[in-house]
Amino acid sequence: MSGEARLKVVLCWHMHQPQYRDLVSGTSYLPWTYLHTIKDYVDMAAHLEAVPAARAVVNFAPLLLEQIEDYARQVDGFLTNSLPIRDSLLAALVSPALPPSDEQRISLIKACLRANELRVIGRFPAYRRLADMAAWVLPHPEAMRYLNNQFLTDLLVWYHLAWLGETVRRGDVRVKRLLDKNTGYTLHDRRELLTVIGELLSNVIARYAHLASRGQVELSVTPYAHPILPLLLDFKCAREAMPKAPLPLLPQYPGGEERARWHIREGIETFRRHFGFVPAGCWPSEGAVSTASLKLLAEAGFRWAASGESVLHNSLVDSGAKADGVKDAWLYRAYSVADSGLNCFFRDDGLSDLIGFNYATWHADDAVSNLVHHLEEIAQRCNGHPEHVVSIIMDGENAWEHYPENAYYFLHALYRRLSEHPKIELTTFSDCLKTKPEKSLQTLTAGSWVYGTLSTWIGEPDKNRGWDMLGDAKRAFDAAAGRLDAAHLDRATRQLAVCEGSDWFWWFGGDNPAATVADFESLYRQHLTNLYQLIAAEPPEYLSQVFTHGGGAPVHGGAMRPGQLSSG
């Protein structure tokens, strides 16, 4: 390899949580936003702060930013003015009176066991003992009488201690004291732990802003509520990669282009409000792209977007280009996408998945050495060409609980080794575009990072049924919009946006865990019901019925037809 140029490598971490908050009641139904914030988002910032020579791209979903901000306000309001916390698990942490009924206590115990069995629960002997006691009691509710309030208190404290970031456990003296105490936690201890949580929630966005201000991180954004833009624009684009895919009965999403533009515009504005500037790049929700969706991103002012390796492969094959053999010839570069006006990068699925799914069981140094070895081989083959860039793109939160110590050793070694390597240059997508892409992609086949298709969100009975339910709600919204005042229209529009998010369709159908599917299906139905409430329309009866998984939700009166689900 020539010594004149190093291989460009971009680490892009996507931070995303769906809307767990009920926009009507304000209640947060699931705790994952604040738990991932105090564990993963703070750790990811801390690892970059610890290695100033390292660089990365960090992508934020706007709904995540808003939920973090809301949690920070809740905790501050409780600590300063005794205002209620609207998340039941977080509220229980500092409640003087724990729930009296067996049913409530069982629900609380189950919530405090939702963590990785090996890496989180098993790491702390005191937490392990509490979890073992809970496992004995849960099948026998009558045994609840043997568990007193101190058991529940200690379980709540340990759950939150275990969900803290590894950098927090190692660096905060208050947390060290609570860890050393081990048992017998008091109300004062719980309030002190909530104070730590509040500080983490309040400061995390500012930490990323500071990393961006010194050029170490490029911040990018996703459309507002994490919708699958290609499907909002045209259901039929799913057949570009899946020619025989069954589609919803709804022929197309009503007003889809207008809604796609709204999500893009509102996503940029939410990002600007939190970080003070407009981003140059966009990781479209789930890397889902089509020529039409990239055009909208370009019109909004974005310079780059990114997607999955399989999308590029399908696109090259469909255009008659060669996309086999080693990836160096076609994957490791930016493409200007014809007819879109946008530049697009494509993740190396193999390297990204090694971090996401494989390295968790390796020794950290061995895992990083293996990744470096792969990159050195790519660098050798690319021979210092300045256009080549390896894109490693993945979630910034979900993988780490499967690693020892929340990937503390792996991430530190990863940043240090790559930033110090003489033949590798950690960089950002915007900096890569300082060298104009030499390749133009004439045909873009619609798809996502998952299999290169849109099958995760459409094409199965339950997923298609979800779109038909959403389309019915959108028609009701359109019919009511003209009679709503500005304030009510804004609330209803934001509720509609939440219903258009990708996560609900992700979990419908397939072989997903039944309990998780139930959580997300319930949330989706609640969000749809809230939309009808906000537009003063009666919700359809089918919203009270659960999916018959594999066959769509039950419908009275025979087969559905477009428009049959319309209410009022």
Side-chain angles (χ1 to χ4, degrees):
M1 171 181 170
S2 168
E4 295 180 0
R6 297 179 291 167
L7 176 69
K8 295 182 175 69
V9 175
V10 175
L11 300 173
C12 178
W13 311 112
H14 172 51
M15 314 301 201
H16 161 61
Q17 296 295 324
Q19 181 58 276
Y20 298 120
R21 180 162 49 106
D22 186 316
L23 299 187
V24 173
S25 69
T27 301
S28 292
Y29 288 112
L30 292 170
W32 307 122
T33 293
Y34 86 82
L35 290 175
H36 279 294
T37 300
I38 66 176
K39 184 171 80 72
D40 303 303
Y41 307 144
V42 298
D43 264 4
M44 293 295 278
H47 285 296
L48 283 162
E49 292 163 347
V51 186
R55 302 185 72 196
V57 175
V58 178
N59 186 87
F60 278 100
L63 273 185
L64 172 61
L65 295 171
E66 291 186 343
Q67 288 182 87
I68 293 173
E69 181 182 52
D70 179 66
Y71 269 111
R73 288 174 176 169
Q74 287 185 58
V75 174
D76 180 67
F78 175 84
L79 292 173
T80 58
N81 296 304
S82 298
L83 297 177
I85 293 175
R86 290 176 270 107
D87 182 291
S88 59
L89 185 60
L90 192 56
L93 175 64
V94 288
S95 174
L98 291 169
S101 75
D102 286 353
E103 182 180 0
Q104 290 173 309
R105 293 161 84 88
I106 288 172
S107 177
L108 187 59
I109 290 171
K110 288 181 177 179
C112 288
L113 298 179
R114 297 182 74 170
N116 185 283
E117 180 81 14
L118 173 65
R119 300 299 192 190
V120 179
I121 296 176
R123 181 182 172 194
F124 304 101
Y127 188 13
R128 174 76 274 170
R129 287 192 296 272
L130 294 168
D132 290 343
M133 292 172 65
W136 175 76
V137 167
L138 288 175
H140 310 285
E142 68 277 6
M144 283 297 300
R145 71 190 69 174
Y146 298 109
L147 298 181
N148 61 16
N149 281 349
Q150 190 62 61
F151 169 83
L152 288 175
T153 293
D154 285 1
L155 184 60
L156 277 163
V157 171
W158 267 110
Y159 184 71
H160 287 89
L161 287 174
W163 266 91
L164 288 175
E166 186 66 19
T167 58
V168 180
R169 280 195 293 270
R170 291 168 181 250
D172 192 301
V173 294
R174 297 164 297 179
V175 173
K176 289 180 180 179
R177 184 188 69 78
L178 292 172
L179 289 166
D180 290 341
K181 186 170 183 177
N182 211 43
T183 188
Y185 294 108
T186 65
L187 182 59
H188 173 77
D189 293 329
R190 290 188 274 156
R191 287 182 66 95
E192 186 172 47
L193 180 53
L194 184 69
T195 299
V196 173
I197 290 171
E199 291 171 1
L200 297 173
L201 289 165
S202 296
N203 295 332
V204 65
I205 294 174
R207 292 172 70 177
Y208 284 99
H210 179 67
L211 286 165
S213 71
R214 70 188 194 191
Q216 190 176 352
V217 162
E218 178 179 6
L219 295 174
S220 61
V221 75
T222 295
Y224 179 73
H226 210 267
I228 302 299
L229 290 182
L231 294 179
L232 286 185
L233 295 169
D234 181 11
F235 289 157
K236 293 184 181 65
C237 75
R239 287 181 168 161
E240 293 178 19
M242 305 183 298
K244 297 182 179 180
L247 298 180
L249 296 176
L250 186 71
Q252 63 182 17
Y253 186 63
E257 181 175 338
E258 177 187 357
R259 293 302 302 146
R261 290 182 185 277
W262 185 94
H263 280 278
I264 295 169
R265 184 172 63 249
E266 196 62 28
I268 293 171
E269 176 55 29
T270 303
F271 181 98
R272 187 202 59 76
R273 183 169 64 83
H274 283 88
F275 293 112
F277 63 94
V278 173
C282 175
W283 168 250
S285 315
E286 306 294 354
V289 294
S290 63
T291 299
S293 69
L294 290 186
K295 283 182 179 179
L296 295 188
L297 294 178
E299 289 174 13
F302 288 111
R303 295 184 59 231
W304 64 262
S307 186
E309 173 184 324
S310 296
V311 171
L312 176 59
H313 183 275
N314 291 343
S315 301
L316 291 171
V317 170
D318 289 348
S319 65
K322 186 177 180 181
D324 53 14
V326 294
K327 300 174 183 178
D328 315 336
W330 54 275
L331 177 60
Y332 302 132
R333 61 188 69 240
Y335 284 81
S336 59
V337 180
D339 300 324
S340 77
L342 202 69
N343 300 302
C344 202
F345 297 86
F346 298 91
R347 79 195 283 265
D348 184 309
D349 288 347
L351 296 183
S352 302
D353 289 347
L354 281 174
I355 298 174
F357 304 109
N358 295 90
Y359 287 153
T361 59
W362 293 37
H363 187 284
D365 289 338
D366 292 339
V368 173
S369 292
N370 182 262
L371 181 67
V372 169
H373 174 70
H374 285 297
L375 292 172
E376 287 173 339
E377 289 189 326
I378 295 169
Q380 182 68 32
R381 295 194 302 268
C382 289
N383 197 32
H385 195 291
E387 186 186 66
H388 284 106
V389 54
V390 178
S391 301
I392 297 174
I393 307 173
M394 54 175 286
D395 281 350
E397 67 266 292
N398 290 319
W400 313 131
E401 68 182 274
H402 301 281
Y403 281 71
E405 285 80 40
N406 207 43
Y408 178 86
Y409 296 105
F410 172 79
L411 288 168
H412 181 75
L414 177 72
Y415 284 129
R416 181 179 55 79
R417 291 278 301 278
L418 293 184
S419 63
E420 294 174 354
H421 199 288
K423 297 183 179 180
I424 294 171
E425 176 189 357
L426 281 180
T427 186
T428 67
F429 289 132
S430 284
D431 276 1
C432 288
L433 292 180
K434 292 177 180 177
T435 301
K436 182 177 175 59
E438 296 177 1
K439 289 284 188 179
S440 177
L441 192 61
Q442 298 304 313
T443 299
L444 180 70
T445 303
S448 74
W449 77 269
V450 189
Y451 314 127
T453 72
L454 299 173
S455 61
T456 301
W457 303 274
I458 200 168
E460 293 184 30
D462 289 351
K463 298 178 190 295
N464 290 347
R465 175 64 173 143
W467 280 105
D468 288 327
M469 293 163 66
L470 177 59
D472 202 51
K474 177 57 162 59
R475 286 191 291 262
F477 170 87
D478 290 342
R483 56 179 168 77
L484 300 177
D485 62 36
H488 283 87
L489 180 59
D490 181 68
R491 290 187 68 195
T493 300
R494 291 181 181 278
Q495 181 66 72
L496 172 64
V498 169
C499 297
E500 293 166 337
S502 69
D503 294 88
W504 326 119
F505 306 96
W506 173 291
W507 291 104
F508 296 157
D511 299 320
N512 293 310
T516 305
V517 172
D519 283 344
F520 279 85
E521 181 181 333
S522 176
L523 266 171
Y524 184 55
R525 292 175 181 277
Q526 185 62 55
H527 285 310
L528 286 171
T529 300
N530 286 350
L531 176 59
Y532 283 102
Q533 179 179 336
L534 289 169
I535 61 176
E538 183 176 350
E541 178 63 26
Y542 65 74
L543 284 180
S544 65
Q545 303 169 12
V546 297
F547 279 16
T548 305
H549 292 290
V555 178
H556 297 295
M560 287 189 301
R561 292 177 176 83
Q564 180 178 330
L565 302 181
S566 294
S567 170

